[in-house]
Structure formats: structure tokens, C-alpha cells
């Protein structure tokens, strides 16, 4: 009998779990929905305007942000309790102001902020940032990022983790990829391009950089080795 009851209950349509009630005034046409892993939470990116005049607002937990020219790279923690993203505003000409945000609190503004990495615990963010960066007036991409190895955009780039800037500065621009956290959230890995002839994959522990891979240029030819450092003396 219990088995029959369970079978009958399984045939009854289940009511969906409502994550949030959306206000009627929200215009959902063209909106992007971002869910947390497991569907525990959600946020909406709401567009306003068209073409180069388009701006974006973030709706999350019942409130709507002010409008920004750029708003993306949304990252939820596994439990859906923490949300990180980046936002940017066009100032004038080739100048822009970007911020990385975690749970509504923004880090200091930079001329450019790359895609956001959120630690597995959801308590820290890491990202590339740039100063003295020129931008394409038609978009949020810095001039030369991932397209040029000459550094002609004049920018200076570095990793920001937990609100602290790494000492290492690089020119030309880094690749447009977010750093990667390890499962315990204590270490990150990222690429560091110091100059056109040398490319490093690095592993940070307590903000100290360890070289994991090196591309050495010899007469215009590159040889590359990659792999996580074992921590033993003399390990490559």
C-alpha cells in the first residue's frame, strides 16, 4: 500500500518553486536571465534603448540597479547567496570607468575590468584590471586587447584579487579570460604576458607568484612547457 501511495503521489503534477515575484513594471523584452548553479537564485539583465545608446540594469533580490553602458560577467556562488559582476560607463571619447562588484559592494574604479572570477565560497573575486587604457568608442573592449601584441594602446594591466592589486604589471594586454580559482579558494591561476617574447602561466599562493610555464622566444620561435608546479625544489 505505501508503494501504491507513493506511485499515485508521483503522478500528481508538482507546483513549481517560485524564486521571485517580478514587478509588473519590469520590461522583459530582450532581458537575459542568469541562474545560480542548481537554480537556487536568479538575476535579470534588463536592456534599455537601442544600438550605441543601449544601457543595462540589473534586477536582483527585488531591486533594480541604475543604468550602465556595460553590465555583464554575472557569477553566482554555488548556494546562490553571493553574486559578482562587472559594470562600466562611457565617460568621454576613449575613456571609460569600470568596477567589479561583489554582493553590491564595488571595488575601486579602473579604466577597464576583465571578466570576473568568483571564489567557490563566494566571498572573494579576482579579475584583470587596466589603467591608462584607451577604448574603442563603439564598444567596451580596450583598443588592442587580444588583438595586438604591440601594446600600442598604452595600457597597464594587472590582477586584482580580494581588492588587492598584484605588483606585477604587464604590457601589452593580457588575454581576455578571467583567472581561475582552485576548489579551496586559496589559490588562483592566470596568464601573465610580460612582453611580446615571454609568456607565463602563473599560480598564486597568498599573492606570491610561482611560475608554472614559460614560453621562451629564440629567433622568433617559441617553445612552451606547461603544468602545475609540484612544490618540490627544482620542479618545473
Amino acid at each position: 500500500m505505501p508503494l501504491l501511495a507513493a506511485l499515485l503521489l508521483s503522478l500528481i503534477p508538482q507546483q513549481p518553486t517560485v524564486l521571485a515575484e517580478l514587478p509588473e513594471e519590469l520590461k522583459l523584452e530582450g532581458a537575459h536571465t542568469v541562474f545560480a548553479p542548481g537554480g537556487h537564485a536568479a538575476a535579470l539583465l534588463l536592456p534599455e534603448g537601442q544600438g550605441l545608446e543601449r544601457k543595462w540594469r540589473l534586477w536582483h533580490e527585488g531591486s533594480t540597479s541604475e543604468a550602465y553602458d556595460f553590465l555583464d560577467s554575472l557569477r553566482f556562488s554555488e548556494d546562490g547567496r553571493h553574486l559578482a559582476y562587472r559594470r562600466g560607463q562611457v565617460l568621454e571619447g576613449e575613456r571609460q570607468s569600470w568596477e567589479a562588484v561583489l554582493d553590491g559592494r564595488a571595488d575601486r574604479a579602473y579604466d577597464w575590468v576583465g571578466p570576473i572570477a568568483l571564489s567557490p565560497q563566494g566571498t572573494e573575486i579576482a579579475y584583470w584590471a587596466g589603467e591608462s587604457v584607451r577604448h574603442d568608442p563603439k564598444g567596451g573592449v580596450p583598443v588592442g586587447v587580444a588583438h595586438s601584441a604591440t601594446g600600442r594602446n598604452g595600457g597597464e594591466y594587472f590582477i586584482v584579487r580580494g581588492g588587492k592589486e598584484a605588483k606585477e604589471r604587464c604590457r601589452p594586454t593580457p588575454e581576455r579570460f578571467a583567472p581561475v580559482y582552485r576548489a579551496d579558494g586559496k589559490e588562483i591561476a592566470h596568464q601573465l604576458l610580460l612582453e611580446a617574447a615571454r609568456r607565463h602561466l602563473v599560480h598564486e599562493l597568498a599573492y606570491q607568484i610561482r611560475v608554472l610555464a614559460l614560453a621562451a622566444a629564440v629567433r622568433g620561435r617559441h617553445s612552451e612547457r606547461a603544468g602545475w608546479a609540484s612544490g618540490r625544489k627544482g620542479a618545473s
Side-chain angles (χ1 to χ4, degrees):
M1 191 66 176
L3 180 60
L4 178 60
L7 178 61
L8 292 175
L9 287 174
S10 67
L11 297 177
I12 299 176
Q14 300 296 311
Q15 293 296 321
T17 300
V18 178
L19 294 178
E21 294 284 349
L22 301 179
E24 293 184 2
E25 61 269 21
L26 286 185
K27 297 180 180 179
L28 301 181
E29 183 178 356
H32 299 282
T33 305
V34 179
F35 289 97
H40 303 298
L44 291 174
L45 288 175
L46 307 170
E48 293 182 359
Q50 300 293 328
L52 296 179
E53 301 301 321
R54 170 163 288 189
K55 291 181 177 289
W56 296 89
R57 296 181 187 269
L58 173 68
W59 183 90
H60 180 232
E61 294 185 337
S63 62
T64 305
S65 73
E66 63 179 280
Y68 291 89
D69 293 305
F70 311 103
L71 206 164
D72 61 9
S73 193
L74 271 67
R75 303 285 186 269
F76 272 105
S77 60
E78 289 291 333
D79 58 9
R81 297 174 58 188
H82 304 281
L83 175 63
Y85 57 93
R86 65 175 179 173
R87 62 194 185 193
Q89 295 281 33
V90 174
L91 300 180
E92 58 182 16
E94 297 179 336
R95 295 183 59 243
Q96 296 177 5
S97 176
W98 289 74
E99 295 173 318
V101 182
L102 174 60
D103 294 336
R105 298 184 298 273
D107 283 357
R108 58 152 290 194
Y110 295 97
D111 291 341
W112 176 75
V113 165
I116 305 298
L118 178 63
S119 67
Q121 296 75 22
T123 57
E124 182 184 89
I125 54 177
Y127 52 91
W128 281 102
E131 293 180 333
S132 302
V133 178
R134 295 190 297 110
H135 291 267
D136 181 350
K138 296 182 180 180
V141 178
V143 177
V145 167
H147 299 292
S148 170
T150 63
R152 284 179 295 214
N153 62 330
E156 185 178 63
Y157 298 84
F158 44 88
I159 285 287
V160 179
R161 179 183 176 188
K164 298 181 180 180
E165 300 175 3
K167 295 180 180 179
E168 289 72 20
R169 260 53 174 172
C170 65
R171 270 180 82 183
T173 58
E175 301 291 345
R176 289 179 294 168
F177 297 107
V180 177
Y181 277 92
R182 280 198 166 181
D184 58 8
K186 295 180 180 179
E187 305 165 358
I188 65 172
H190 63 83
Q191 177 174 288
L192 178 61
L193 186 59
L194 295 176
E195 55 188 65
R198 302 180 64 201
R199 184 186 298 264
H200 297 264
L201 294 177
V202 302
H203 172 231
E204 293 186 356
L205 176 60
Y207 306 109
Q208 298 299 314
I209 292 182
R210 296 179 178 179
V211 175
L212 300 181
L214 172 65
V218 180
R219 296 182 181 177
R221 295 184 179 181
H222 293 73
S223 61
E224 297 190 11
R225 295 183 296 119
W228 290 100
S230 67
R232 299 190 300 272
K233 185 176 181 180
S236 58

